[in-house]
Amino acid sequence: MPDAITVSGVRRAFDDGTVALDGTTLSVERGSVAVLVGPSGCGKTTLLRILAGLDAPDAGTASVAPVAGEGAARVSIAFQEPRLLPWRSALRNVALPLELARAAKADRDDRARAMLSLVGLGGAERKLPGQLSGGMRMRVAIARALVTRPQVLLLDEPFGALDEITRHQLDDLVLRLRAELGMTVVLVTHAITEAAYMGDRVFVMAPSPGRVVRAFEPGFGMRDAALRASPRFAAVVADLMQSLAGAMLAVPAGGVRA
Amino acid sequence: MPDAITVSGVRRAFDDGTVALDGTTLSVERGSVAVLVGPSGCGKTTLLRILAGLDAPDAGTASVAPVAGEGAARVSIAFQEPRLLPWRSALRNVALPLELARAAKADRDDRARAMLSLVGLGGAERKLPGQLSGGMRMRVAIARALVTRPQVLLLDEPFGALDEITRHQLDDLVLRLRAELGMTVVLVTHAITEAAYMGDRVFVMAPSPGRVVRAFEPGFGMRDAALRASPRFAAVVADLMQSLAGAMLAVPAGGVRA
Amino acid sequence: MSRTAASSRLRTALAAAVPPCAVLVACVCAWQAAVWVFRPGEYLLPSPIQVAQEAWDSRATLARAAWLTGLSAAGGFAIAACTGVLAGSVLAASRFLMRGLYPIATLLQMVPLVAIAPLLVVWCGYGWRTSVASAAIVSVFPVLASTLDGMRGTDRGLVELFGTLRAGRVQRWWKLELPWAIPSIVTGLRVAAGLSVIGAIVGEFVGAFAGNASPVGIVILSALREHRTELVFAAVLTAAVVGFVLFGLVSALGWVALRRWHASVG
Amino acid sequence: MSRTAASSRLRTALAAAVPPCAVLVACVCAWQAAVWVFRPGEYLLPSPIQVAQEAWDSRATLARAAWLTGLSAAGGFAIAACTGVLAGSVLAASRFLMRGLYPIATLLQMVPLVAIAPLLVVWCGYGWRTSVASAAIVSVFPVLASTLDGMRGTDRGLVELFGTLRAGRVQRWWKLELPWAIPSIVTGLRVAAGLSVIGAIVGEFVGAFAGNASPVGIVILSALREHRTELVFAAVLTAAVVGFVLFGLVSALGWVALRRWHASVG
Amino acid sequence: GCGDGRAPAKPGSGAAPVPPEAPALRPVRLQLNWMPEPEFGGIYAAKQDGLFARAGLDVEIIAGSAGTPTAQMTASGQVEFGIVGGDQVLTLREKGGDLVGLFAIFHTSPMGVMVRADAPWKSLQDLWASDATVAMETGLPFVRYLNQKYPGARVKLVPTGTGLAAFEQGIVQAQQCFISAEPVQMELKGIPVRVFSLADGGYDPYTVTVATSAAFLAKDREACAAFVRALREGWRRYLAEPAKYNPAIAKLNPGMTVAAMDVAAAKQHDLVAPPGTGANEVGMMERARWQTLARQLQELGTIKAAPAVIDDVFWNAP
Ligand SMILES: Nc1ncnc2c1ncn2[C@@H]1O[C@H](COP(=O)(O)OP(=O)(O)OP(=O)(O)O)[C@@H](O)[C@H]1O
Ligand SMILES: Nc1ncnc2c1ncn2[C@@H]1O[C@H](COP(=O)(O)OP(=O)(O)OP(=O)(O)O)[C@@H](O)[C@H]1O
Ligand SMILES: [Mg+2]
Ligand SMILES: [Mg+2]
């Protein structure tokens, strides 16, 4: 499979001198799930923003290979915060991307409703964001990212505010849609078990400046509940945990400050 | 030990008909850590808000027993969102509670700086919230909740946006402060391992309407890295996971809708 | 159920009316007391009783004046509201335009009407057109400024979201920036509602027909020259009533527009 | 390093000045062209060249007038700014007060100044006091309205936070609501800056002046009376310059106040 | 300039410098109802020549503008003296502001209505019967007077706020004017006009009158008399030689040139002092004229009743 995403030698330094990324290199095969893990503040969000075209590298290149299909549906991102329009109901927030792409009203409502019930919010279509719990708001944002059936999906810690069971369901939902649509997924997460479960490839990042210190392939084919209980899985989790601990202690590679 | 917090038969229904809590009863001993777990939207935040005095039950009573000491420092809450003042640096956001309590300037800066480095943000004192990563913002909010050395601490999923290692460090920080100050802690979390590790008592909640379906005492005395690796711990986690799965399937007890 | 709701809404509305009425009554009493105590002379400050008497005696004149001035003010306000929101949106859309045109727009509100009165009368003729134009000129800037302000304050995160969803410029305006700016625009419109009345009156000072059916501006001018201070005050109060009606309409519209918004943020 | 920074800041400032200047030049050219094409008559619309000539000839008069009117406008603006922000804060603090006093405050801006001129002049006496009072009256409402608006829009989450931290009412105002409302207040102040100039000029229309003090309002009136339309336009432009200076000062202050804010939200 | 300050007259500013040992001057204020112009020429002449100082007064001349409420300021004691209209003396008295006329600048009212020379109307009556647009300050009694005198009027009245532009543009066909001011400007622009005098039409109040409050007059009759005498002498000098004083006045009025002032001064001469007026008669008022005015205002409904004692309304200083 060709690479859908290639990042090579990316550097991003902010005005105040913080070097969020330096020499970051990675690639993601089309149709695969890449997971980014790393300590808080190591540049994961910055990298995702660069991939989404919201920020530009100061050096190096980052590219998302063009794919067929309607432009608007190409790349979808769920931010670390829900970013909902406060005056729109859950349903109309989810329908927003379809509305902006000028889908027919009936069609977009149906698709939004279906997606809302897939994330477990079947009864909450008409609630306003201010009437939803934190986890429900995040799920609305995830539904909004998925409703366009994108070809590249960027998820920034979307499940952090969810209980483990809902989270497992959403993990499986993403994997299913990946299989259905041949979607390429980049997932930022803090849950090591989630990283191990979801990742075709896991990139461990270290801070100051942010960079990839390890690329790792768990190599699980089918994922299901049984996998989570298996010793193989436990071993991968332990290994990843080790890497992460190592990354936090990593000597800053030319970073300006801790 | 007497109970620091008692909640009995609390009901809270919102204007739109959602019954967030009904017949919720629990009590927390002074100086102990109570953990609330439950599916997204089951009323954990609502309960915490009632304890903090930000919302009032429609029926039943909720009380936080008065304790000695300065009034302002009595109860401290860290919300599910960071809620930082966007125009204040990290340091000045942490110092805010001391400033409002009219502490001396030098003193409050020292205390805020010390607390910031305890949450791992030693170098970020002068950054504005907009310049911090999501996890860093949450840590600033946690530091702000701790800086007054409160006697009752309410934490609403504060560590969800943090990597596991930082999270473990903060877990231990809370336990240490609890021991130092004799603090009563109520912690909402989605991480079952965290619930098992932290809780003197774990309350499992079920939704529609929100209520406590199980109270559970892991019964660990000393907590340390070894505990996390022990089979005892794994057994408690598995048990809790089971309860949570049960709670999600629980028949709605008089709830108006799913 | 719905009956209770209706009656409770009525009760809410009544409760909302109590504070302004209370303050109003207090003001009137203070005014009457001041007249009793300081005796400033009727030619300077008539008592509320005298003003009320005069208002009653001249009720036909005042009602007609209120109607005429109200129409001009409402027309000018409507023009200002549309122009202001549109111009504000255009300015918000482009840094270059904003820098270039915003200062020019401020110019508009700094031209004393009397200085351009000749131009205005030549362009618009005597009659209602001049007062409508004057009302519009005076009230357009607050709308423009608050629209611009509200739109530029749009949450950066949501703007980014719309960018990633490849929203067009018009879509972004209609579905994001305009709803976001509504609270701010409503404030601007409120300011404009009051200003449009004064704008209409000032327009009448230079460009209205005096006759049997005189608008408020002409009534004030004549009464001033005749030293009928009670009538001046009665006419000013009439203008205020017109302004309140406009203001009330704008507030009500704003309330409807803000309702969902507030439900969501509050 | 710092040298580069300074020169780049200078370049930014120059770049910011280009658009308004470009638009201004375009306007002046359009005006000149209109005069050439339509020949409206010098007494109605003089050409920019004639106005410039007149402005140069009367530069001493106009400079003095600008200074006098500028002082009145600045004084009135300062009063309006303080009063508006304070009153807006007080109103924002209490639902009862807001409902009771906000309508009364709107009254202020609906009273034609000429109607209360006798009262004003008798209270304030002759000279600059009347124009300062008039400038303050005209410009206070936008400040009040935008302060109220900004404060009432304070993030509910942060208000709750201050509640749990047991902040006093004054602390909440000073440390949360006021900084939160600053962008909105700055907009109100900008509107007020322009209005204060017109307020001062209108005050001069009804005021009285000892000595050879002829502020802009007097220059406009006497030029109108003498049919010197070029001088009227030159005086109006002088007023606009005064307004721009005030507006510029307010914008600069606002920029400084907003800088940190924008750094954080932008 | 000569308008400012309460300092004794400065060297060079007048003919008669005050000796240093003279008693301190009594400060009083005179409020004009418009900017410095030839219609106030005698006042500035008195100031410039030190006549007020010689009378023991330090007069501060305060310029007014379009809406300056001089009548109210004078009645309430804000200023000692003010320029008001004769009709204002009567209307304000009825509202409790007891003004007293001291000195009538114009013996004959300069009010008039101007039309273009080629306009079809031969008289005010003609004009009032037409549907012409006329710029008038509605509310002034003379408008009521005309409406009452020529009933069934069809003219459309509009405010005068556009200056002369609307008249020049032909949008208004007739315009209220001071005979000594607007017609002159029109003729200088090459637009010939005709003027219908209101005084000729039967309405002739003391249009520009120096007044004080009854209270001040009662308290300090001597100061009032001294003030009026100085004023009279000032006017005598100004009428004789306006060009001597106009440059100083023009300095105080940003819009008016010396040349325009000279023309206006010439035009107003006969209205201030009709041929045959004695040197001591300038500014003197006649009881009969006040009585007529009171009767006319009463008939117009502008006042409810004529003053019980007409001599309370004015005072000719001896
Ligand atoms: N606008 C900005 N200005 C200055 N520094 C910034 C800015 N945005 C991010 N940073 C800094 O860049 C670094 C990386 O931030 P980023 O948000 O990418 O971290 P992250 O890996 O997503 O962390 P988290 O897991 O906590 O969300 C942090 O040190 C942060 O302080
Ligand atoms: N202001 C409100 N109006 C209406 N419904 C509300 C409001 N606030 C909360 N709810 C509803 O109450 C229920 C409980 O909300 P709450 O925020 O307490 O959940 P939670 O347990 O904290 O969930 P999470 O883990 O996702 O944060 C949810 O169904 C939510 O939709
Ligand atoms: Mg992040
Ligand atoms: Mg919650």
Side-chain angles (χ1 to χ4, degrees):
Chain A
M1 276 273 189
D3 287 341
I5 294 172
T6 31
V7 173
S8 99
V10 160
R11 177 186 163 86
R12 179 72 177 99
F14 289 102
D15 287 345
D16 66 348
T18 316
V19 182
L21 293 175
D22 199 6
T24 307
T25 301
L26 56 82
S27 62
V28 183
E29 260 182 28
R30 174 154 305 158
S32 74
V33 179
V35 173
L36 299 179
V37 294
S40 169
C42 72
K44 304 180 295 295
T45 297
T46 307
L47 182 57
L48 230 58
R49 288 174 57 83
I50 289 174
L51 291 179
L54 294 172
D55 203 348
D58 295 322
T61 57
S63 72
V64 177
V67 283
E70 337 137 52
R74 236 168 44 98
V75 180
S76 208
I77 180 167
F79 298 92
Q80 204 165 354
E81 320 82 38
R83 301 206 183 174
L84 305 179
L85 300 188
W87 56 86
R88 283 190 171 223
S89 68
L91 185 73
R92 296 196 60 228
N93 261 296
V94 175
L96 180 69
L98 303 173
E99 204 178 313
L100 293 178
R102 299 204 169 68
K105 169 123 183 73
D107 179 44
R108 70 185 189 229
D109 279 3
D110 287 348
R111 284 166 66 184
R113 196 164 320 199
M115 195 48 80
L116 264 179
S117 69
L118 281 180
V119 299
L121 290 174
E125 283 97 350
R126 302 179 56 184
K127 288 207 168 199
L128 291 170
Q131 300 173 319
L132 296 173
S133 79
M136 293 162 97
R137 278 197 283 259
M138 259 338 285
R139 281 185 279 165
V140 173
I142 294 160
R144 184 181 58 197
L146 293 174
V147 79
T148 51
R149 308 172 77 80
Q151 282 164 320
V152 174
L153 179 64
L154 308 175
L155 298 172
D156 195 356
E157 281 181 55
F159 310 140
L162 299 175
D163 59 282
E164 309 237 342
I165 293 177
T166 310
R167 166 174 238 168
H168 290 172
Q169 289 167 352
L170 291 179
D171 283 346
D172 290 335
L173 173 65
V174 168
L175 290 176
R176 210 177 72 219
L177 286 175
R178 191 267 304 250
E180 249 176 53
L181 307 172
M183 200 163 63
T184 311
V185 180
V186 180
L187 172 70
V188 173
T189 183
H190 283 312
I192 301 293
T193 50
E194 188 170 56
Y197 185 79
M198 295 287 286
D200 293 319
R201 217 155 176 212
V202 180
F203 297 95
V204 181
M205 295 181 67
S208 308
R211 65 207 185 277
V212 175
V213 290
R214 189 172 171 211
F216 180 93
E217 307 208 355
F220 304 130
M222 265 299 287
R223 279 93 157 186
D224 54 18
L227 174 64
R228 290 187 199 273
S230 70
R232 273 202 306 157
F233 188 74
V236 168
V237 169
D239 186 2
L240 266 175
M241 193 75 183
Q242 207 84 53
S243 297
L244 187 62
M248 292 199 67
L249 301 172
V251 192
V256 288
R257 62 161 162 163
Chain B
M1 275 277 186
D3 288 341
I5 295 172
T6 33
V7 173
S8 100
V10 160
R11 177 186 165 88
R12 177 74 178 97
F14 288 103
D15 287 346
D16 65 349
T18 315
V19 182
L21 292 175
D22 199 6
T24 307
T25 301
L26 58 81
S27 63
V28 183
E29 259 183 28
R30 173 154 306 157
S32 73
V33 179
V35 173
L36 300 178
V37 295
S40 170
C42 72
K44 304 180 294 296
T45 298
T46 307
L47 182 57
L48 230 57
R49 289 173 57 82
I50 289 175
L51 291 179
L54 294 171
D55 201 349
D58 295 322
T61 56
S63 71
V64 177
V67 282
E70 338 139 49
R74 234 167 45 98
V75 181
S76 207
I77 180 167
F79 297 92
Q80 207 166 350
E81 320 80 38
R83 302 205 182 173
L84 305 179
L85 300 188
W87 56 86
R88 282 189 173 224
S89 68
L91 184 74
R92 295 196 60 225
N93 261 296
V94 175
L96 179 71
L98 303 174
E99 202 178 314
L100 294 177
R102 300 206 169 68
K105 169 122 182 72
D107 179 42
R108 69 187 188 228
D109 280 3
D110 287 348
R111 284 166 69 183
R113 194 162 319 193
M115 195 48 81
L116 263 179
S117 69
L118 280 180
V119 299
L121 291 175
E125 284 99 348
R126 301 179 57 182
K127 289 207 168 201
L128 292 170
Q131 300 173 319
L132 296 173
S133 79
M136 291 161 96
R137 279 198 281 261
M138 262 333 288
R139 283 184 277 163
V140 173
I142 294 160
R144 183 181 58 196
L146 294 173
V147 77
T148 50
R149 309 173 76 80
Q151 281 163 323
V152 174
L153 178 65
L154 309 174
L155 299 172
D156 195 354
E157 282 181 53
F159 310 140
L162 298 175
D163 60 283
E164 309 236 343
I165 294 176
T166 309
R167 168 174 239 168
H168 290 172
Q169 289 166 352
L170 291 180
D171 283 345
D172 289 334
L173 173 64
V174 169
L175 289 176
R176 210 178 72 219
L177 287 175
R178 190 265 306 246
E180 247 175 53
L181 308 171
M183 198 163 64
T184 311
V185 180
V186 180
L187 171 72
V188 172
T189 184
H190 283 312
I192 302 294
T193 48
E194 187 169 56
Y197 185 80
M198 295 288 285
D200 292 317
R201 218 156 175 208
V202 179
F203 298 95
V204 181
M205 294 180 68
S208 308
R211 64 206 186 278
V212 175
V213 289
R214 187 171 171 214
F216 181 93
E217 307 209 351
F220 305 130
M222 263 300 287
R223 278 92 156 187
D224 52 20
L227 174 64
R228 291 188 199 270
S230 69
R232 274 201 306 159
F233 188 74
V236 167
V237 169
D239 185 3
L240 266 177
M241 193 77 182
Q242 206 86 52
S243 298
L244 187 61
M248 292 200 67
L249 300 172
V251 192
V256 286
R257 61 163 162 155
Chain C
M1 221 0 222
S2 83
R3 209 186 215 163
T4 326
S7 93
S8 99
R9 206 170 304 153
L10 187 71
R11 223 172 312 129
T12 318
L14 283 180
V18 168
C21 292
V23 173
L24 205 67
V25 168
C27 285
V28 171
C29 290
W31 173 7
Q32 180 70 60
V35 170
W36 275 330
V37 173
F38 298 111
R39 316 199 145 280
E42 199 183 311
Y43 65 95
L44 270 182
L45 184 66
S47 78
I49 296 172
Q50 289 169 314
V51 172
Q53 178 66 45
E54 177 68 46
W56 178 250
D57 293 346
S58 311
R59 61 189 175 280
T61 309
L62 290 177
R64 198 150 346 105
W67 173 245
L68 292 171
T69 299
L71 283 185
S72 301
F77 173 77
I79 294 173
C82 298
T83 318
V85 170
L86 280 180
S89 303
V90 170
L91 263 54
S94 145
R95 227 182 151 66
F96 180 88
L97 282 180
M98 195 197 81
R99 286 199 175 146
L101 291 177
Y102 195 56
I104 307 288
T106 64
L107 235 172
L108 264 186
Q109 67 162 2
M110 283 182 293
V111 175
L113 204 78
V114 63
I116 52 162
L119 277 176
L120 211 59
V121 168
V122 169
W123 280 335
C124 306
Y126 284 100
W128 55 269
R129 282 193 218 90
T130 298
S131 35
V132 169
S134 155
I137 290 175
V138 169
S139 51
V140 73
F141 186 71
V143 183
L144 190 157
S146 59
T147 304
L148 185 61
D149 184 52
M151 297 213 164
R152 280 163 56 81
T154 311
D155 187 272
R156 310 291 304 155
L158 293 176
V159 172
E160 279 188 2
L161 172 74
F162 270 64
T164 64
L165 294 177
R166 313 217 166 181
R169 196 64 198 76
V170 174
Q171 286 182 322
R172 191 170 107 196
W173 175 71
W174 179 246
K175 294 187 195 268
L176 174 61
E177 292 167 338
L178 197 62
W180 185 274
I182 280 180
S184 177
I185 293 176
V186 168
T187 298
L189 289 177
R190 278 201 186 136
V191 174
L195 282 181
S196 71
V197 176
I198 188 94
I201 291 178
V202 171
E204 287 155 8
F205 285 166
V206 299
F209 287 114
N212 296 331
S214 301
V216 175
I218 298 288
V219 172
I220 290 177
L221 269 191
S222 314
L224 267 175
R225 295 202 180 110
E226 293 178 356
H227 291 300
R228 290 173 65 185
T229 323
E230 316 88 53
L231 184 55
V232 173
F233 274 73
V236 166
L237 289 181
T238 306
V241 169
V242 172
F244 277 137
V245 170
L246 257 182
F247 186 87
L249 286 177
V250 173
S251 296
L253 272 176
W255 186 76
V256 170
L258 283 178
R259 212 172 148 189
R260 302 208 66 182
W261 169 274
H262 273 316
S264 61
V265 286
Chain D
M1 214 14 212
S2 84
R3 213 188 214 160
T4 324
S7 93
S8 99
R9 205 169 305 151
L10 188 68
R11 225 172 310 130
T12 317
L14 284 179
V18 168
C21 292
V23 173
L24 205 68
V25 169
C27 286
V28 170
C29 291
W31 174 7
Q32 180 69 60
V35 170
W36 275 331
V37 174
F38 299 109
R39 314 200 145 279
E42 192 183 307
Y43 58 91
L44 207 54
L45 184 66
S47 78
I49 295 172
Q50 289 169 311
V51 173
Q53 178 65 47
E54 178 68 49
W56 177 251
D57 292 347
S58 310
R59 61 189 177 280
T61 306
L62 291 177
R64 191 163 165 67
W67 173 245
L68 292 169
T69 300
L71 283 186
S72 300
F77 172 78
I79 294 173
C82 299
T83 317
V85 170
L86 280 181
S89 304
V90 170
L91 262 54
S94 145
R95 228 182 150 68
F96 180 89
L97 282 181
M98 196 198 78
R99 286 197 174 148
L101 291 179
Y102 194 55
I104 308 288
T106 65
L107 235 172
L108 265 185
Q109 66 164 1
M110 284 181 292
V111 174
L113 207 76
V114 62
I116 53 162
L119 276 178
L120 210 58
V121 173
V122 169
W123 278 336
C124 305
Y126 56 88
W128 53 270
R129 283 192 218 93
T130 303
S131 34
V132 169
S134 154
I137 290 175
V138 169
S139 50
V140 73
F141 185 71
V143 182
L144 190 156
S146 58
T147 303
L148 185 58
D149 185 52
M151 296 213 164
R152 278 162 57 81
T154 311
D155 187 89
R156 310 291 302 152
L158 293 177
V159 172
E160 279 188 2
L161 172 74
F162 271 64
T164 64
L165 295 177
R166 316 215 163 180
R169 196 64 200 76
V170 174
Q171 286 182 321
R172 192 169 107 197
W173 176 71
W174 179 247
K175 294 187 196 267
L176 174 61
E177 292 168 339
L178 197 63
W180 185 274
I182 279 180
S184 176
I185 294 176
V186 168
T187 297
L189 289 178
R190 278 202 186 135
V191 174
L195 283 181
S196 70
V197 175
I198 189 96
I201 290 178
V202 171
E204 287 154 12
F205 287 167
V206 302
F209 300 89
N212 58 355
S214 299
V216 175
I218 297 296
V219 175
I220 289 177
L221 272 188
S222 75
L224 263 178
R225 158 99 162 203
E226 294 303 316
H227 223 49
R228 289 171 62 183
T229 320
E230 318 87 50
L231 185 54
V232 173
F233 274 72
V236 167
L237 289 181
T238 306
V241 169
V242 172
F244 277 138
V245 170
L246 256 182
F247 186 86
L249 286 177
V250 172
S251 295
L253 271 177
W255 186 77
V256 170
L258 283 177
R259 211 171 147 189
R260 301 209 66 181
W261 171 274
H262 274 314
S264 59
V265 288
Chain E
C2 55
D4 53 19
R6 286 153 190 223
K10 295 174 195 109
S13 71
V18 184
E21 69 274 15
L25 298 180
R26 160 128 202 218
V28 291
R29 288 154 297 184
L30 168 59
Q31 175 67 56
L32 309 183
N33 61 355
W34 190 253
M35 282 154 269
E37 280 194 358
E39 64 182 282
F40 309 123
I43 301 170
Y44 283 99
K47 175 93 181 174
Q48 185 173 330
D49 289 353
L51 305 177
F52 289 134
R54 212 183 293 158
L57 298 171
D58 173 17
V59 179
E60 184 180 18
I61 303 172
I62 306 166
S65 68
T68 311
T70 48
Q72 288 94 330
M73 291 172 81
T74 311
S76 65
Q78 272 276 315
V79 292
E80 285 77 15
F81 304 106
I83 306 280
V84 303
D87 46 14
Q88 282 184 303
V89 173
L90 296 176
T91 47
L92 209 69
R93 284 184 78 93
E94 210 174 55
K95 303 285 180 188
D98 48 356
L99 290 175
V100 181
L102 294 179
F103 185 96
I105 291 178
F106 285 94
H107 180 269
T108 307
S109 171
M111 294 300 299
V113 177
M114 132 181 119
V115 298
R116 284 184 186 244
D118 56 3
W121 309 292
K122 297 280 170 275
S123 64
L124 281 174
Q125 184 164 19
D126 271 2
L127 177 63
W128 239 244
S130 76
D131 61 356
T133 302
V134 185
M136 291 261 158
E137 290 179 6
T138 44
L140 290 188
F142 79 85
V143 182
R144 274 190 189 225
Y145 176 82
L146 290 174
N147 280 332
Q148 198 177 65
K149 188 169 178 192
Y150 309 117
R154 294 196 293 134
V155 281
K156 295 196 283 285
L157 297 181
V158 296
T160 52
T162 58
L164 291 173
F167 181 77
E168 196 165 342
Q169 191 77 7
I171 296 174
V172 303
Q173 287 87 44
Q175 166 113 14
Q176 158 196 337
C177 65
F178 258 34
I179 292 169
S180 53
E182 287 88 349
V184 181
Q185 289 174 8
M186 285 295 98
E187 265 153 33
L188 288 177
K189 294 227 165 199
I191 300 174
V193 294
R194 278 184 286 132
V195 182
F196 304 120
S197 158
L198 270 165
D200 293 349
Y203 185 72
D204 188 17
Y206 291 119
T207 300
V208 182
T209 303
V210 180
T212 187
S213 67
F216 184 73
L217 180 62
K219 200 177 87 201
D220 216 335
R221 198 167 275 266
E222 195 34 56
C224 292
F227 177 76
V228 170
R229 281 193 296 266
L231 205 53
R232 186 166 292 137
E233 174 61 13
W235 268 107
R236 204 187 54 73
R237 295 187 184 191
Y238 184 78
L239 288 172
E241 208 180 348
K244 181 177 166 199
Y245 304 98
N246 280 343
I249 303 177
K251 275 214 190 83
L252 301 178
N253 186 329
M256 203 165 178
T257 58
V258 178
M261 288 198 174
D262 288 345
V263 177
K267 277 267 178 183
Q268 77 181 9
H269 184 282
D270 285 359
L271 299 169
V272 175
T277 307
N280 288 330
E281 287 165 19
V282 179
M284 283 285 194
M285 297 161 290
E286 296 156 24
R287 165 190 277 143
R289 293 269 301 277
W290 280 108
Q291 262 166 341
T292 308
L293 179 62
R295 181 174 46 73
Q296 285 176 326
L297 292 184
Q298 194 184 355
E299 282 167 10
L300 294 174
T302 301
I303 56 175
K304 292 195 187 71
V309 185
I310 198 70
D311 293 309
D312 288 350
V313 174
F314 72 102
W315 183 63
N316 280 318

